[in-house]
Amino acid sequence: MKTPFTRAADFQQERDFGQKISATFEFLGTHWRPLLKCLAYFVLPGTLLAGIGLGLMMNSMFDLITQTQQGEAARISNGSMPFGPGYFIGIGVAFIGGIISFALLLSTVYAYVRLLYTDEPAPLPQPRQVWLEMKPRLGRVFLSFGVLGVAYLLLAVVLVSLIALDEVVGVVLLFLVMLPALLYVVVPLSLFFPAMWLEDLGIFAALRRSFQLVAGRWWATLALLLVASLIQGTMSFVFIIPFYASMFGKILKLPVLSSDVFGMVVQCLYMTGVSFLYVVSLIASAFQFFHLVEQKEGHGLLQLVASLGQTAAPAAANSAYSPTDDGEY
């Protein structure tokens, strides 16, 4: 029987590797309509903004590639700026749109799951309910982006400084220390936003919680992330095909395919498709979170034990005999 995923007991379960992947797609198969509606309300505008920025940037790049006039080649070779203002505007718009769309994407998905994470079966969440759940927590999400971004910049500054002081030592530290350390940190961070949303934690409490849960389960979490990302990447390939059509259309100057409008539409389609498919990884991370919480703390089992005796005992009934019948011997 399919799990409806409308109450906490449906989530609070220990699952093996295959069951977590199956639960991810079972959840999406059950909730894809209302979840897609919520994504269209809250995430689609940001992905379109990022797509427009990418369109401006990529159109400028492809135009530069196809410039074969002698005067233009001479201008570029003389050290003039090869890209026009559209390229740099596109980078800024794409960056802003990407940050907004990703923040709203994970907020929408985890707010949706949070509304289903109740003791009693909950109705399917609607966009208004999801927004009311998201609104008071969006500031915390964007602040967490800022904290993680500052940490990344500090790491980059340290790395660049080491390479500037001694190139050999810097490269050795990059490959032998920093990249393995970064990989180690990225795996627990996959549970950072599930912890923040599903347990309503602050930034630093969610960081501690994610590292606590992954301790001793790092390899299992990494394997789940890799498989979910592989499935997601394979599914997103369909949105890459129009991108290549636009690229070759620009290079070969094919009608329609070489137009800037077509390139803009393609980038919007690509950003929307890839962003919406990222839901696969987000839901897989949520099930890993529930699995680790149940495995280490047994919340679901404790709630099940606490509920014993609180419901009415089932009435015994038999269509063939009444309580006064002796039956057959």
Side-chain angles (χ1 to χ4, degrees):
M1 185 177 66
K2 291 182 64 176
T3 305
F5 296 106
T6 55
R7 57 178 182 167
D10 296 334
F11 297 96
Q12 290 176 330
Q13 298 179 24
E14 287 189 55
R15 294 178 169 90
D16 61 27
F17 184 86
Q19 288 173 335
K20 282 177 276 193
I21 296 295
S22 298
T24 298
F25 286 96
E26 190 174 347
F27 176 90
L28 294 174
T30 302
H31 292 272
W32 72 271
R33 287 180 184 274
L35 182 56
L36 183 63
K37 185 178 180 180
C38 294
L39 293 176
Y41 269 81
F42 305 121
V43 183
L44 182 60
T47 61
L48 293 179
L49 181 64
I52 291 172
L54 280 178
L56 290 171
M57 185 176 67
M58 298 306 295
N59 285 339
S60 297
M61 289 183 63
F62 292 148
D63 289 342
L64 181 63
I65 293 174
T66 56
Q67 285 169 355
T68 56
Q69 292 86 353
Q70 184 65 31
E72 190 68 22
R75 183 179 67 84
I76 296 173
S77 63
N78 288 333
S80 301
M81 184 67 68
F83 297 110
Y87 177 80
F88 299 100
I89 293 174
I91 291 178
V93 172
F95 177 78
I96 294 172
I99 293 293
I100 292 174
S101 62
F102 185 64
L104 291 176
L105 173 65
L106 61 88
S107 298
T108 300
V109 171
Y110 291 137
Y112 186 95
V113 174
R114 183 180 169 86
L115 288 169
L116 297 171
Y117 193 62
T118 57
D119 293 334
E120 299 297 329
L124 296 179
Q126 298 301 314
R128 177 177 175 79
Q129 297 171 287
V130 173
W131 171 247
L132 292 176
E133 194 73 23
M134 289 168 53
K135 188 177 178 180
R137 298 174 176 84
L138 282 177
R140 193 187 313 168
V141 172
F142 283 106
L143 182 60
S144 66
F145 275 32
V147 170
L148 295 176
V150 168
Y152 175 79
L153 287 176
L154 289 176
L155 180 64
V157 168
V158 171
L159 176 61
V160 171
S161 301
L162 289 173
I163 293 177
L165 292 174
D166 192 319
E167 184 175 347
V168 176
V169 173
V171 172
V172 170
L173 288 175
L174 171 64
F175 286 99
L176 296 184
V177 178
M178 291 190 176
L179 287 182
L182 186 61
L183 177 62
Y184 175 79
V185 169
V186 164
V187 173
L189 286 179
S190 66
L191 303 186
F192 170 71
F193 286 108
M196 176 184 289
W197 274 96
L198 301 175
E199 295 189 351
D200 205 14
L201 300 177
I203 295 175
F204 297 105
L207 280 172
R208 288 193 299 269
R209 181 65 163 160
S210 60
F211 278 87
Q212 172 198 357
L213 290 174
V214 172
R217 299 292 182 271
W218 190 90
W219 287 106
T221 306
L222 174 63
L224 181 67
L225 293 176
L226 289 177
V227 172
S229 299
L230 180 62
I231 295 172
Q232 170 194 323
T234 303
M235 295 170 65
S236 65
F237 184 76
V238 66
F239 297 104
I240 300 177
I241 297 174
F243 170 79
Y244 282 113
S246 174
M247 181 178 70
F248 287 113
K250 280 281 190 181
I251 295 174
L252 301 176
K253 296 184 178 180
L254 300 176
V256 180
L257 297 182
S258 62
S259 68
D260 289 346
V261 174
F262 180 77
M264 199 83 69
V265 171
V266 163
Q267 295 300 329
C268 290
L269 178 64
Y270 172 77
M271 280 299 302
T272 301
V274 170
S275 298
F276 280 24
L277 285 176
Y278 195 73
V279 173
V280 174
S281 294
L282 294 178
I283 295 297
S285 296
F287 278 112
Q288 178 68 0
F289 173 81
F290 289 122
H291 164 76
L292 293 176
V293 170
E294 186 64 21
Q295 188 178 66
K296 296 192 173 187
E297 300 172 2
H299 286 178
L301 180 61
L302 293 175
Q303 289 182 2
L304 180 61
V305 172
S307 67
L308 292 177
Q310 296 182 2
T311 58
N318 192 301
S319 60
Y321 303 105
S322 67
T324 59
D325 289 340
D326 292 332
E328 298 179 358
Y329 297 94

